[in-house]
């Protein structure tokens, strides 16, 4: 999961289950990005793509919300928000813009911190969600309020694209759901009965995705703009937004039901998902800029499997300790020099004159 705040005080140390969930979720993200060029010629890949996109970003947001329950504007947490979200956003938004200028030979391509490029929208969303966390925790019924804002965004074509506000509001309900969850909720999801029920639900979702693949527009799942951008009347957002919200929650529960509880070979990689998220965009965009998918064999079943394996391998490598060691200074900088020193406990405050 890209970035986490102070973990909830459920268990001491890191929880293998959540590290597994973070790693598996980030793998689904890169697979979705890698599959996108293959969807134009393969109904099977399109079905897998639609199924993954129906829940992988909601799961992302939900887990982020769960790990943000402790956010209370305390100085230490604000520092982590600035160094772990704001600074990486500034660095990588600039880096992606420079990369685009070089790759596309377009030196005039504008740098706009108000218009997140590609994957950077999630850091904007995470900042907004975290900053509003105390408000959500103060409300009696935060999820309906957040869903109402998502509906408002879906029916408002004039909202615009600044700061990816459509996406921020569109995925906000899942973050708020995460804020309301407790460890016992995950225990219920991981029960044997739920795991068995998840199998036919997941299979049914994949079958429906295969059925609708020839005509369904995946843009409905991106929340990039209002429903009018999908050719639907604005009032349709009153129905589609709650429906997609319910579908995403159902599939997220199915996914979480099958996340391994115990330590696996990939568990430690869950701590490095922010690195994989920020870095993989350069490879994905390179594949588009230099037409890596023009090779016909990639559009065969064997080629599609090869693309999937490559995506999983690349994301796994990007989450490893050596990569984290190299990029820690821009992804998780300490920046003690930038913050005022807090008085030590018991220190005497200066007297007023």
């Amino acid at each position: 999961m890209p970035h986490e705040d102070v973990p909830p005080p459920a268990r001491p140390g890191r929880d293998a289950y959540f590290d597994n969930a973070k790693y598996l979720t980030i793998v689904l993200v890169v697979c979705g990005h890698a599959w996108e060029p293959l969807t134009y010629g393969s109904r099977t890949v399109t079905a897998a793509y639609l199924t993954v996109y129906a829940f992988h970003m909601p799961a992302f947001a939900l887990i982020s919300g769960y790990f943000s329950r402790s956010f209370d504007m305390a100085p230490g947490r604000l520092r982590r928000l600035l160094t772990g979200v704001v600074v990486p956003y500034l660095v990588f938004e600039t880096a992606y813009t420079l990369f685009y200028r070089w790759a596309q030979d377009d030196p005039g391509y504008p740098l706009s911190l108000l218009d997140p490029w590609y994957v950077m929208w999630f850091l904007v969303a995470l900042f907004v969600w975290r900053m509003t966390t105390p408000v959500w925790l103060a409300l009696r019924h935060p999820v309906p309020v957040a869903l109402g804002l998502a509906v408002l965004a879906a029916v408002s074509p004039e909202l615009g694209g600044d700061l990816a506000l459509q996406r921020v509001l569109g995925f906000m309900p899942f973050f708020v759901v995460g804020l309301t969850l407790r460890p016992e909720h995950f225990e219920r999801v991981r029960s044997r009965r739920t795991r068995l029920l998840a199998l036919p639900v997941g299979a049914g979702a994949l079958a429906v995705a295969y059925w609708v693949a020839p005509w369904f527009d995946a843009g409905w799942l991106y929340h990039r703009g209002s429903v009018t951008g999908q050719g639907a009347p604005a009032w349709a957002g009153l129905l589609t937004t709650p429906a997609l919200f319910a579908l995403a929650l159902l599939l997220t529960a199915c996914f979480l039901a099958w996340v391994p509880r115990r330590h696996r070979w990939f568990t430690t990689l869950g701590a490095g998902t922010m690195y994989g998220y920020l870095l993989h965009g350069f490879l994905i965009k390179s594949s588009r800029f230099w037409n890596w998918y023009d090779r016909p064999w990639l559009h065969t079943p064997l080629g599609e499997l090869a693309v999937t394996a490559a995506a999983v391998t690349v994301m796994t490598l990007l989450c490893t300790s050596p990569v984290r060691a190299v990029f820690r200074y821009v992804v998780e900088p300490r920046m003690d020099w930038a913050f005022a020193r807090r008085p030590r406990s018991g220190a005497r405050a200066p007297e007023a004159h």
Side-chain angles (χ1 to χ4, degrees):
M1 220 23 248
H3 201 73
E4 67 219 43
D5 200 37
V6 179
R11 301 176 184 177
R14 298 191 68 93
D15 191 322
Y17 172 77
F18 288 107
D19 277 338
N20 292 338
K22 293 171 190 175
Y23 168 76
L24 294 173
T25 305
I26 202 68
V27 164
L28 291 178
V29 169
V30 72
C31 284
H33 290 161
W35 288 340
E36 194 270 337
L38 303 176
T39 60
Y40 300 101
S42 172
R43 187 169 180 174
T44 300
V45 174
T46 302
Y49 179 85
L50 292 176
T51 304
V52 165
Y53 263 81
F55 77 91
H56 79 306
M57 287 311 301
F60 232 58
L62 185 146
I63 297 175
S64 293
Y66 181 71
F67 279 91
S68 297
R69 294 183 302 145
S70 302
F71 190 84
D72 57 3
M73 297 292 186
R77 293 190 174 101
L78 286 174
R79 287 180 61 170
R80 290 198 63 182
L81 182 64
L82 292 174
T83 59
V85 176
V86 175
V87 172
Y89 175 75
L90 296 176
V91 170
F92 280 88
E93 180 66 22
T94 302
Y96 273 118
T97 300
L98 296 177
F99 174 67
Y100 182 92
R101 290 178 178 180
W102 169 72
Q104 296 296 89
D105 193 20
D106 184 5
Y109 186 78
L111 169 63
S112 174
L113 298 178
L114 297 179
D115 185 16
W117 198 74
Y118 197 37
V119 298
M120 300 309 298
W121 73 269
F122 189 79
L123 271 70
V124 174
L126 193 57
F127 177 79
V128 173
W129 298 340
R130 285 263 171 82
M131 290 297 290
T132 58
T133 290
V135 176
W136 298 117
L137 294 178
L139 296 177
R140 185 183 296 272
H141 302 293
V143 176
V145 175
L147 186 58
L149 291 176
V151 170
L152 182 63
V155 302
S156 303
E158 67 279 2
L159 195 59
D162 288 348
L163 292 177
L165 193 55
Q166 292 276 9
R167 279 186 156 184
V168 172
L169 296 177
F171 287 102
M172 181 179 282
F174 303 103
F175 179 85
V176 176
V177 168
L179 290 175
T180 66
L181 296 179
R182 297 294 180 267
E184 54 267 25
H185 294 121
F186 290 93
E187 289 299 326
R188 294 173 188 170
V189 166
R190 294 183 292 183
S191 67
R192 175 179 173 82
R193 179 182 180 184
T194 304
R195 295 180 72 189
L196 292 177
L197 289 174
L199 292 175
V201 172
L206 192 58
V208 172
Y210 186 85
W211 173 55
V212 304
W215 53 268
F216 183 79
D217 188 346
W220 285 99
L221 307 174
Y222 301 156
H223 297 289
R224 286 177 181 165
S226 69
V227 296
T228 58
Q230 300 298 323
W235 61 262
L238 300 174
L239 303 176
T240 59
T241 303
L244 291 174
F245 172 73
L247 173 64
L249 281 186
L250 177 62
L251 294 180
T252 296
C254 293
F255 166 73
L256 293 174
W258 281 95
V259 170
R261 301 188 185 194
R262 299 180 180 178
H263 195 282
R264 297 290 187 268
W265 64 266
F266 53 80
T267 300
T268 56
L269 300 177
T273 50
M274 173 64 105
Y275 295 80
Y277 183 82
L278 292 173
L279 294 170
H280 86 281
F282 291 102
L283 293 174
I284 294 297
K285 284 300 182 180
S286 294
S287 71
R288 311 310 199 250
F289 293 157
W290 289 293
N291 303 315
W292 295 357
Y293 286 85
D294 284 354
R295 295 164 178 78
W297 74 272
L298 289 178
H299 299 267
T300 65
L302 183 60
E304 293 159 2
L305 290 175
V307 169
T308 303
V312 174
T313 300
V314 166
M315 183 55 76
T316 299
L317 292 175
L318 291 179
C319 294
T320 57
S321 296
V323 173
R324 292 166 60 189
V326 171
F327 290 97
R328 181 170 286 115
Y329 69 100
V330 291
V331 178
E332 295 180 294
R334 293 185 59 87
M335 295 184 62
D336 293 336
W337 55 268
F339 300 99
R341 293 184 179 180
R342 288 176 290 173
R344 290 177 297 178
S345 177
R348 185 177 179 179
E351 295 181 3
H353 295 282

